[in-house]
Amino acid sequence: MKVFNDLKTRGVEDVLIAVTDGLKGMPEALSAVYPTATLQTCIVHLIRNSLDYAAWDKRRELAKALKPIYQALNVEAAEQALDAFETGPWGKQYPTVVAAWRRAWDRVIPFFVFPPGIRKVIYTTNAIESINAQLRKIIKTRGHFPTDDAATKLIWLALQNITANWGSAAHDWKTAMNQFAILYGDRFTRSNW
């Protein structure tokens, strides 16, 4: 909760969509500070989790069989696709995959409210994971820090180096940006993107 309150005091007025990936306490804390935020799970993580249950030679086919679920036009079509997966050969062979999707379903369905342009942008948290991996690598090589301020400075410098290589906006960002403006109106446009 403190992190989100700190964001508020630094000027983050609103959070449109947050991918929480089942982090304990994260959805509750985020909802308390930003009650209108949409919370969802990372679709790519759910797919990866599903593939963990399959043998290596079956993963490509299993991933293909899951596509109708997360590529569905809406929640109803996604539920039908999940039901079909469950009653089909893949669901019978991998009931744990079906169980994983059903457990996460409340955090998956917000995804289906969005048009395809937004879905492409919020489909995964890989960009965030990439930054976190680079920061972990930098921190790990330094060992320990004499003060919290020293750690903060190193992280700040690392972020400066990481973001220096960013050339342009995320792929399909312009399409998503226009759709965000339509869906969220003033909540999106007041931030002066």
Side-chain angles (χ1 to χ4, degrees):
M1 180 89 105
K2 183 182 180 315
V3 171
F4 298 117
N5 282 325
D6 287 348
L7 287 173
K8 266 235 183 212
T9 60
R10 292 180 183 185
V12 177
E13 296 176 24
D14 199 0
V15 172
L16 301 176
I17 302 167
V19 181
T20 59
D21 278 343
L23 296 171
K24 292 182 180 176
M26 179 75 77
E28 295 81 8
L30 188 59
S31 294
V33 179
Y34 299 104
T36 58
T38 300
L39 306 179
Q40 75 162 67
T41 195
C42 175
I43 301 299
V44 169
H45 285 155
L46 190 55
I47 294 165
R48 285 182 193 158
N49 182 28
S50 299
L51 298 181
D52 284 346
Y53 294 106
W56 279 103
D57 62 333
K58 301 288 184 191
R59 287 182 175 203
R60 185 180 301 261
E61 294 172 61
L62 178 58
K64 187 177 179 182
L66 290 169
K67 276 187 180 184
I69 301 168
Y70 64 86
Q71 289 184 346
L73 293 176
N74 54 42
V75 174
E76 293 79 19
E79 287 173 346
Q80 289 172 356
L82 181 56
D83 291 342
F85 180 90
E86 182 175 22
T87 59
W90 288 106
K92 290 184 183 358
Q93 187 173 1
Y94 298 108
T96 49
V97 171
V98 175
W101 280 78
R102 296 237 185 255
R103 275 192 311 274
W105 198 247
D106 286 344
R107 295 179 316 275
V108 171
I109 58 176
F111 181 74
F112 298 110
V113 172
F114 300 108
I118 291 178
R119 286 186 192 185
K120 285 182 180 180
V121 173
I122 64 171
Y123 171 76
T124 183
T125 56
N126 281 348
I128 296 166
E129 289 175 43
S130 173
I131 292 170
N132 288 339
Q134 291 176 62
L135 289 175
R136 276 193 303 275
K137 183 178 177 184
I138 290 165
I139 290 169
K140 186 178 178 181
T141 60
R142 299 294 187 270
H144 72 281
F145 297 94
T147 65
D148 288 347
D149 197 36
T152 302
K153 287 178 182 178
L154 178 68
I155 292 169
W156 184 85
L157 288 170
L159 285 171
Q160 294 303 307
N161 290 334
I162 292 167
T163 58
N165 297 326
W166 293 354
S168 59
H171 186 65
D172 295 320
W173 173 245
K174 292 294 183 181
T175 302
M177 188 173 76
N178 285 303
Q179 291 176 354
F180 279 132
I182 292 166
L183 283 173
Y184 291 103
D186 188 45
R187 283 180 66 199
F188 182 78
T189 56
R190 76 169 172 243
S191 64
N192 297 320
W193 290 99

